[in-house]
Amino acid sequence: MGSKKVSKIGVLTSGGDAPGMNAAIRAVVRTGIYNGLEVFGIMRGYSGMIDDDIHPMNSRSVANIIQRGGTILKTARSMVFMEAEGRKLAYENLRKRGIDGLVIIGGDGSFKGAQKFSNEFDIPCIGLPGTIDKDIAGSDFTIGFDTAVNTAVEAIDKIRDTADAHDRLFIVEVMGRDAGYIALHSGIATGAENILIPETETDIEELIQSLSEQEKRKKLVNIIVVAEGDKYGANEISSIVKKRLPSADTRVCILGHIQRGGSPTCLDRLIASRMGFAAVECLLNGTNNVMVGILNNQLHYTPLDHAIKAKQKISEDWLRIVKILAS
C-alpha cells in the first residue's frame, strides 16, 4: 500500500479489555498531537465507527488515565462490522471527518477486521496487541498480560495460605481463552504442583498418580493451576480427583474477571506507551497494516495478516521447567 500522508487519525479499543489500554490510548493521542495530527477517539470499538460515536481528542482528554485499568474508549465486539454494509457505513463516518489512519488496540479478531477494512477502503491500520491472553505472535508481551498474571499470582499466594492452614488441595482456574500463558507463568511463580494448559494434553492418570504420591509423602498443600482453555477445566478435574482420591480435601477457585481489571503494572504501562508512540510513527512514515510488538526489547513490526494467523507458541524449555520444579 502506498504511503499516503496522514493528517487525521482515529484510535479505538476492540475485543476484551486489558489493563494498559489507557496508557496506549494516551501515547497515541499525545504523539499524534505532537506531530500536528488531529486525533479522534472512537467509542466501543468498531461499533462506534458504525454508530458515528467518534470524538476529537486533545492532550487533556488523556490526562490522568495512565494508571487506570479498562479503557476510557470502552470496547465491544461488533457483529455488524463483519458485514460489508457495516464496514461501508463505518468508512463513510470516517470519510466525513477526513480520518485517514487508524490505530486498533485489541487481539486477533480486531486485527482481522482491520485488515479487511484496510484492504477494502485503503485506510492504513496499525494494530497494538491488547489482550491479557498473550496469544499473538510477534511480541514477547501483549498489553495487559503482565497485570493479569500478577493479579493471578497474588490471588494464588493468598489461596496457598488457606490451603496450608487446612491441608487442602486447591484447583485454581485462570483465564487465557485457548492459551495457557497465564496458567504457565502464574503456576511457576507460585510453585504450583501441577499446571494444566491447552497446549499440552492433560494426562489424568499421571495427575492422579502424582497427587497420590504427594499424599503418601504427606505433602498436604497442593495447588493445581488450570488454564480455562484446558479440555477438562477446574470443575471437571475436581470431580475426577474427588472420585479417585476421596481422602483429598479438594476445593475449586475460579479467578475469572478479576484478572481483567486493576491498575496496570509498570511493565504494561511502559510497553503500551512505547507501542502507542510507535503506532503513530508508523502512520507518519508510511509503514502500514502492521502490528507493533516488542521482541527482545526491540520494536518489531509484523504484517497484520501474519499476526492474525500466527499463534504464540509455548517453548519446550518452559514445559521442562514446570515438570522439574514441581517434582
Side-chain angles (χ1 to χ4, degrees):
M1 190 171 289
S3 56
K4 291 190 303 185
K5 194 82 177 115
V6 296
S7 59
K8 299 181 180 185
I9 64 171
V11 58
L12 60 96
T13 49
S14 171
D17 61 306
M21 281 182 162
N22 283 328
I25 294 163
R26 174 180 179 269
V28 169
V29 171
R30 294 202 167 163
T31 308
I33 288 165
Y34 177 85
N35 285 285
L37 303 177
E38 284 183 56
V39 186
F40 293 82
I42 300 165
M43 301 301 292
R44 294 172 294 103
Y46 295 122
S47 297
M49 224 193 279
I50 292 164
D51 300 339
D52 205 15
D53 199 354
I54 301 169
H55 309 277
M57 297 186 87
N58 56 36
S59 280
R60 294 278 305 275
S61 316
V62 291
N64 202 29
I65 67 165
I66 197 167
Q67 77 283 9
R68 284 168 58 185
T71 160
I72 61 162
L73 294 177
K74 310 279 189 197
T75 182
R77 289 182 168 90
S78 173
M79 303 308 288
V80 184
F81 193 77
M82 292 178 184
E83 309 297 327
E85 306 84 71
R87 292 191 296 276
K88 190 170 189 308
L89 187 54
Y91 172 68
E92 294 302 334
N93 289 330
L94 296 186
R95 194 174 68 167
K96 72 182 178 194
R97 288 180 177 80
I99 295 171
D100 47 17
L102 287 176
V103 178
I104 294 99
I105 307 162
D108 53 0
S110 311
F111 297 163
K112 211 173 283 181
Q115 179 73 40
K116 201 163 217 171
F117 187 72
S118 183
N119 289 344
E120 287 172 349
F121 301 105
D122 198 24
I123 287 196
C125 292
I126 305 295
L128 301 187
T131 165
I132 66 167
D133 306 331
K134 201 172 98 81
D135 58 352
I136 298 170
S139 192
D140 288 333
F141 285 92
T142 54
I143 297 164
F145 171 75
D146 189 61
T147 308
V149 88
N150 274 291
T151 299
V153 164
E154 202 177 316
I156 296 165
D157 281 347
K158 289 175 177 173
I159 289 165
R160 189 176 278 281
D161 290 346
T162 187
D164 184 39
H166 292 274
D167 293 340
R168 275 183 183 145
L169 163 63
F170 266 88
I171 300 164
V172 184
E173 186 174 289
V174 297
M175 289 178 99
R177 207 171 49 166
D178 49 8
Y181 278 97
I182 294 176
L184 181 78
H185 286 234
S186 64
I188 291 172
T190 55
E193 282 72 22
N194 296 89
I195 302 168
L196 310 181
I197 56 175
E199 288 84 352
T200 59
E201 186 72 24
T202 295
D203 185 332
I204 287 291
E205 290 310 316
E206 198 180 297
L207 177 68
I208 296 296
Q209 192 187 339
S210 99
L211 288 173
S212 54
E213 275 170 17
Q214 283 160 10
E215 207 175 18
K216 279 181 201 135
R217 286 183 0 223
K218 295 283 176 272
K219 186 173 185 187
L220 298 167
V221 178
N222 267 307
I223 303 281
I224 300 175
V225 176
V226 186
E228 66 178 343
D230 180 78
K231 77 170 184 180
Y232 290 100
N235 286 318
E236 198 177 334
I237 293 286
S238 170
S239 64
I240 293 168
V241 170
K242 279 175 180 169
K243 274 192 201 109
R244 301 282 297 275
L245 295 171
S247 60
D249 188 1
T250 308
R251 295 286 187 280
V252 170
C253 191
I254 295 172
L255 297 186
H257 284 76
I258 186 175
Q259 296 156 91
R260 280 268 187 91
S263 188
T265 58
C266 176
L267 179 65
D268 273 331
R269 296 181 202 197
L270 288 177
I271 64 167
S273 300
R274 198 174 171 193
M275 289 173 177
F277 169 83
V280 176
E281 299 237 304
C282 283
L283 289 171
L284 288 167
N285 67 29
T287 307
N288 299 333
N289 293 8
V290 296
M291 182 197 85
V292 178
I294 297 171
L295 283 177
N296 301 323
N297 208 25
Q298 299 295 314
L299 286 164
H300 179 83
Y301 305 97
T302 305
L304 275 183
D305 53 359
H306 180 69
I308 293 159
K309 293 185 197 110
K311 288 283 183 197
Q312 185 80 280
K313 289 190 171 59
I314 289 179
S315 77
E316 287 298 317
D317 287 354
W318 278 121
L319 302 175
R320 283 180 56 236
I321 288 168
V322 169
K323 204 171 177 100
I324 291 164
L325 297 191
S327 59

